[in-house]
Amino acid sequence: MPERSMIEISRVTRSYGAFKALDETSLTIREGEFFSLLGPSGCGKTTLLRMIAGFDTPTSGSISVDGQPMDGIPANRRPTNMVFQSYAIFPHLNVEQNVCYGLKRLRLGADEEKRRVEEALSQVSLTGLGKRGATELSGGQRQRVALARALVMRPKVLLLDEPLSALDKKLREQMQVELRRLQQAVGITFILVTHDQYEALAMSDRIAVMFGGKIAQVASPKEIYQRPVNCQVADFLGGMNFVKAEIVEENGASMILDTPGFGRVKTDKPAAFVRNGKGATLGIRPERLRVLWDDATDKYEVAGKVVDRHYFGEITHLVIEIPGFDKPLSVTETNNFGADDIPVGAPIRLAYDPDALVALAD
Amino acid sequence: MTAPAEGIAALPVVRKQRNPVLQSEAARGLGLISPTFIYAVIFLVIPIVLVIANSFWTQNYLTIDRTFTLENYRIALTDPIYRDLLMRSLWISLLVSFFTVVLAYPIAFFISFHGGKHKGLWLFLITIPFWTSYLLRVMSWKVILGYNGVLNATLMGLGITNGPSDAFLYNTSAVVITLTHAWATFAVLPIFVSLEKIDRSLVEAATDLGDGPLRRFLRITLPLSAPGIISATLIVMIPTVGDFVTPRLVGGKDGVMIANAIQAQFGKAANWPLGAALSVTTMAVVTAMAASVVLVIRMAARRIR
């Protein structure tokens, strides 16, 4: 992957009166990467996207795209294009006219214009629908038109504001794959705003997780999921068991934690970790715990009792009480060994991988 | 779970059977619309039928000869006086609707796009002049446009003219000015509504695709507000053709319109059939003009791409 930076956001703040939608945020997005801004609503991700597009101005700080500072440059003169959440398809124009809307101003000549519109329509698999009216399109087709309309401009950066949130689950999953493939084909930097962690994990090269106007962590999907820096990030990205632990030893980059069930564990120290006398939190994802059947054993195991069971078709969620833990552990187990038949109240032993245990800042 | 459900189904139907005719969907529908329908028949259909019937009869001094004749229409369509009056009325109403829409559009645009939290207050303020009687407003235009009026005094005070001019009042432009002012609010409202309905993300999308403020107005906002422009034009144009108060008060000799002629036939001239024929002719011509204006605006909106 090219390492050249495409977008530099330095110390950007956006205040609305006393409320800070974005607080002293800095971020570098590389050329050609699929970058996601992930967070709950109101975390400032859309504000950041709209400031990159030019629809909103930073109260302080600056944004540059491809080395060019964007201060004072209106949205219509920026090398970015956007796919709106509502798609914003012009209702009085047909598909073709929507797609070539931005090209008209460039005066490319009829042949070149037609060629680029055809190319964009085929990129989003809408070939042959050029004459279709904007009001006669399905949700998925509208989304594709919005995508083609932005891609045809050959922007340096394509901004996507929750583009899949209006689609049904099946179509959304299909579009995730297609969007990822499209991004790799055109090589344009994509910035996706989403509140859906699976979407961000499935599509991105890197993810920035945001809370309350601040970026909590920027990392690859795998790292964000497996090595979240704090409890908030860990919780937002899916199920996580939090276990209170005592700090036995703390070094520059690592620490040794002690819990009643897992014993002494050596983990990486999270960057944001502050020792506050309350000990630390150890996290483990529910799918990293494995039920030990019959008399199977493992080098690392904890014993407990099943207190609840939830059936989800291909998997079962087991809630297991471990003596000494303040909260029961959740375990996700596939149903091919009969996890859905484990009776509530039964004693159970779980195997775990000590590498899957992560220390978390509060 | 199933047992009580079956028990309910087994209960006999105890509701009393009423007359099936009154129960039918169609009968209930007719019942619901009948008050408005009767109102429309009494106050809309009957008068129009009477006018149309009258237009085919003849006035014999105090009695009306009810034999069918097209003579009235021959007079209405061929007499140069009526033809000129009709043409002038159409021309005036076209001018009035054009100026009203041109003046009302920026107001509606401002309220819709920049009104912020005070949209309601702005709309309310615009209606305030219309709390006074129409006659008073016409009279105040006489004060402004008259020989010793405000306009003449201002022009003389600024040294633009040497003496008062009588060119402002009692002519066609006085009628156009007064009517334009009178109909302004009625044009602001439909345009405002159609501007409010435009999804703001469409304007942002146009900006995102490279359009500056003027281009995105011409390519997105204007064509999408065409329905508002059409209704504003119709709301102003149709009643303006038939106005007779304004031309009587500020129009003078040059400002007489077709409605003044119709009024004369029903009044002093006492020729109801001719007045009715003139009315019907005017209605037909106004309908045709309104339809063509709608077509022209629609086509213009479609041409902007």
Side-chain angles (χ1 to χ4, degrees), chain A residues 5-167:
Chain A
S5 93
M6 176 50 83
I7 289 188
E8 286 289 346
I9 292 155
S10 56
R11 300 170 64 79
V12 167
T13 297
R14 179 69 175 99
S15 331
Y16 297 97
F19 172 70
K20 280 185 177 163
L22 208 63
D23 192 1
E24 290 268 334
T25 297
S26 297
L27 182 67
T28 302
I29 295 169
R30 299 176 196 137
E31 184 177 12
E33 86 176 324
F34 198 127
F35 194 92
S36 292
L37 296 168
L38 174 67
S41 35
C43 73
K45 56 190 194 302
T46 301
T47 308
L48 184 56
L49 194 81
R50 289 178 60 83
M51 285 197 289
I52 297 171
F55 294 125
D56 205 342
T57 8
T59 312
S60 67
S62 69
I63 294 172
S64 71
V65 177
D66 200 21
Q68 298 286 317
M70 288 290 122
D71 312 78
I73 296 182
N76 54 325
R77 298 218 197 91
R78 294 193 180 195
T80 57
N81 282 108
M82 185 137 153
V83 174
F84 290 81
Q85 186 171 12
S86 60
Y87 310 142
I89 304 297
F90 304 128
H92 57 306
L93 306 179
N94 66 24
V95 169
E96 216 169 70
Q97 289 162 332
N98 261 286
V99 174
C100 79
Y101 187 93
L103 294 179
K104 285 279 177 227
R105 193 181 37 90
L106 304 178
R107 306 200 181 284
L108 298 167
D111 290 347
E112 172 67 4
E113 199 175 273
K114 194 173 158 54
R115 203 186 59 73
R116 275 174 72 168
V117 169
E118 289 298 323
E119 185 192 59
L121 286 178
S122 81
Q123 277 172 340
V124 298
S125 330
L126 279 182
T127 311
L129 288 183
K131 302 288 177 211
R132 190 73 70 85
T135 45
E136 305 161 43
L137 299 173
S138 70
Q141 286 170 333
R142 293 165 71 80
Q143 211 254 333
R144 285 159 196 269
V145 173
L147 204 56
R149 191 176 66 179
L151 278 176
V152 81
M153 302 304 291
R154 297 180 181 165
K156 286 180 175 158
V157 181
L158 186 75
L159 308 167
L160 302 119
D161 185 7
E162 309 232 2
L164 308 180
S165 59
L167 305 178

Side-chain angles (χ1 to χ4, degrees), chain B residues 162-227:
Chain B
N162 290 325
S165 161
D166 56 4
F168 304 124
L169 195 57
Y170 301 123
N171 54 29
T172 313
S173 37
V175 177
V176 172
I177 291 171
T178 312
L179 283 173
T180 302
H181 173 238
W183 286 98
T185 317
F186 300 99
V188 169
L189 291 174
I191 297 174
F192 171 78
V193 169
S194 72
L195 286 172
E196 280 290 283
K197 277 204 280 186
I198 297 176
D199 182 354
R200 296 308 189 253
S201 70
L202 295 177
V203 182
E204 278 190 347
T207 312
D208 189 65
L209 293 167
D211 276 357
L214 183 66
R215 292 183 73 100
R216 65 176 177 253
F217 171 75
L218 291 175
R219 295 175 76 188
I220 301 296
T221 317
L222 194 58
L224 288 179
S225 61

